[in-house]
Amino acid sequence: MILVVLFQLYGLLLGVFGDDTVPVMEGDSLTLHTNTKTKQQEKIKWFFDHTRIAQINGDLSFICADVQCEDGDERFRNRLKLDHQTGSLTITNTTFTDEGDYQLQIIGSSSNSVKIFNIIVHDASTADSEEKKSKSVKEGESVTLNCQIKNPNDVKWYFNDLVIAEITGDQSKTCRGVRCEDGDERFRDRLKLDHQNGSLTIINTKSTDAGVYKLQINSSSFSIQRNHSISIISEESFSVTDWTLYLCVAIGILVAIVLMLIGLKGWRRRRSNHRQNYV
Ligand SMILES: *[C@@H]1O[C@H](CO)[C@@H](O)[C@H](O)[C@H]1NC(C)=O
Ligand SMILES: *[C@@H]1O[C@H](CO)[C@@H](O)[C@H](O)[C@H]1NC(C)=O
Ligand SMILES: *[C@@H]1O[C@H](CO)[C@@H](O)[C@H](O)[C@H]1NC(C)=O
Ligand SMILES: *[C@@H]1O[C@H](CO)[C@@H](O)[C@H](O)[C@H]1NC(C)=O
């Protein structure tokens, strides 16, 4: 009874916010936002699995991340970054062992708050081909680059550091291809953007479409960065392989004929030798 009351009081004091579910794919870079600026008397602490994995004090008197924190966790070695202005936590190259609840504690002089982020990591290697982050397509075919965030309101697709497609909360600013600010002529009329899940489809692919497509997903509580890589199997490389195949077959037939002729000659000679012996 006392425990329950204490627990409720503790909850009130801490001001627990709602949970956030964050879906990432293996290898993504993920930032969990604090939505605050670090203040002098404040401490921002991040916990995973009841282990403190990062902390920043507002006066910068103490900062630690992954193995630098005394109960530091090897699994995050060199993969955690803290923003010194906001205390936001970035996890690079996410992996399965990162899956779980992350607790953010903001400890101020007058009030404290706690927030939980639930991270789910999807497997990029065993996922069906729709989900794969690197794909090969035949020139001329279309390819879909997956986003799979439901009703995204801030999604940007980059190619060569140019924005080629974008969804924003403001419908009028949503764009693709040449209509984007740094609109790229190469994709003219060849991009389709799914407004329900942010996935991008390139139709009638060309050899110049090969490369890395960067996806940036932002929401108020997190951001995700993901790279998709596309390779294009061009018609030319097809004809080259066909051509070498034909050449190999032709050489093979030629060699077979030569061997047959040599064999036939030897057989005739042996036969004539036989005859001479009998005569
Ligand atoms: C994406 O690729 C760029 C280099 O092309 C790299 O700098 C960046 O870290 C990669 N991001 C992710 C999330 O893998
Ligand atoms: C990401 O992590 C995997 C193992 O989980 C490792 O093989 C790979 O090299 C890492 N990539 C980068 C860019 O650090
Ligand atoms: C979502 O993305 C997939 C491709 O990843 C696509 O096939 C599908 O049509 C998209 N739209 C919806 C509403 O699910
Ligand atoms: C969204 O992403 C861009 C690019 O990384 C960044 O500059 C911007 O601050 C982000 N917005 C939010 C709301 O996180």
Side-chain angles (χ1 to χ4, degrees):
M1 184 64 194
I2 293 167
L3 266 179
V4 173
V5 174
L6 278 179
F7 190 73
Q8 281 171 346
L9 270 175
Y10 184 70
L12 281 177
L13 282 173
L14 290 175
V16 179
F17 294 119
D19 292 6
D20 259 306
T21 300
V22 185
V24 296
M25 282 182 90
E26 209 187 348
D28 285 356
S29 189
L30 167 70
T31 301
L32 303 173
H33 298 302
T34 58
N35 292 322
T36 179
K37 290 251 186 295
T38 46
K39 295 180 197 79
Q40 281 290 318
Q41 293 94 0
E42 233 171 40
K43 283 179 186 163
I44 294 180
K45 294 182 181 181
W46 289 95
F47 291 84
F48 177 65
D49 236 358
H50 307 291
T51 301
R52 185 181 52 172
I53 54 168
Q55 177 172 344
I56 184 165
N57 292 3
D59 55 7
L60 303 183
S61 60
F62 182 76
I63 302 169
C64 75
D66 59 83
V67 288
Q68 298 156 355
C69 299
E70 65 252 44
D71 35 340
D73 200 329
E74 273 294 331
R75 82 181 97 190
F76 292 110
R77 185 182 274 277
N78 300 329
R79 293 195 297 121
L80 296 182
K81 275 182 216 127
L82 265 182
D83 185 307
H84 289 190
Q85 250 99 59
T86 62
S88 295
L89 182 70
T90 298
I91 308 167
T92 56
N93 196 14
T94 52
T95 171
F96 295 112
T97 51
D98 300 348
E99 197 165 270
D101 285 343
Y102 289 72
Q103 192 187 54
L104 163 67
Q105 287 186 9
I106 302 175
I107 299 154
S109 50
S110 54
S111 68
N112 300 338
S113 68
V114 170
K115 183 173 175 167
I116 312 280
F117 298 82
N118 176 238
I119 296 185
I120 298 170
V121 183
H122 293 286
D123 189 339
S125 56
T126 64
D128 58 59
S129 62
E130 276 292 284
E131 303 263 327
K132 281 220 164 66
K133 287 207 223 172
S134 75
K135 299 183 192 187
S136 312
V137 277
K138 274 191 214 160
E139 194 172 358
E141 289 187 350
S142 56
V143 59
T144 297
L145 306 174
N146 202 276
C147 171
Q148 298 297 23
I149 292 282
K150 283 206 189 82
N151 301 315
N153 54 27
D154 192 351
V155 170
K156 280 196 179 95
W157 284 99
Y158 296 84
F159 184 64
N160 291 339
D161 291 323
L162 298 179
V163 177
I164 57 165
E166 182 174 11
I167 297 178
T168 62
D170 180 359
Q171 279 284 330
S172 66
K173 289 211 183 106
T174 295
C175 74
R176 63 192 154 78
V178 285
R179 296 203 185 82
C180 294
E181 258 168 86
D182 20 62
D184 200 336
E185 273 294 332
R186 88 177 76 199
F187 294 109
R188 184 179 276 280
D189 300 327
R190 294 196 298 118
L191 296 178
K192 278 193 211 155
L193 188 58
D194 189 308
H195 291 240
Q196 249 106 65
N197 60 21
S199 300
L200 181 74
T201 301
I202 308 168
I203 53 176
N204 191 12
T205 50
K206 298 178 177 176
S207 59
T208 49
D209 297 346
V212 175
Y213 291 77
K214 211 171 87 182
L215 171 63
Q216 170 82 42
I217 303 164
N218 280 353
S219 84
S220 56
S221 55
F222 61 85
S223 310
I224 297 173
Q225 273 182 27
R226 179 176 306 162
N227 285 343
H228 286 261
S229 81
I230 297 288
S231 53
I232 308 286
I233 305 163
S234 68
E235 300 290 345
E236 269 161 51
S237 65
F238 261 119
S239 49
V240 165
T241 48
D242 284 353
W243 187 76
T244 42
L245 188 72
Y246 289 145
L247 194 70
C248 286
V249 170
I251 290 172
I253 291 173
L254 210 68
V255 167
I257 290 173
V258 168
L259 286 177
M260 247 167 62
L261 286 177
I262 291 172
L264 204 67
K265 227 175 166 182
W267 180 73
R268 275 205 187 129
R269 190 177 301 140
R270 258 183 276 128
R271 221 172 78 164
S272 60
N273 281 351
H274 265 275
R275 275 203 199 131
Q276 277 169 7
N277 287 347
Y278 280 104
V279 167

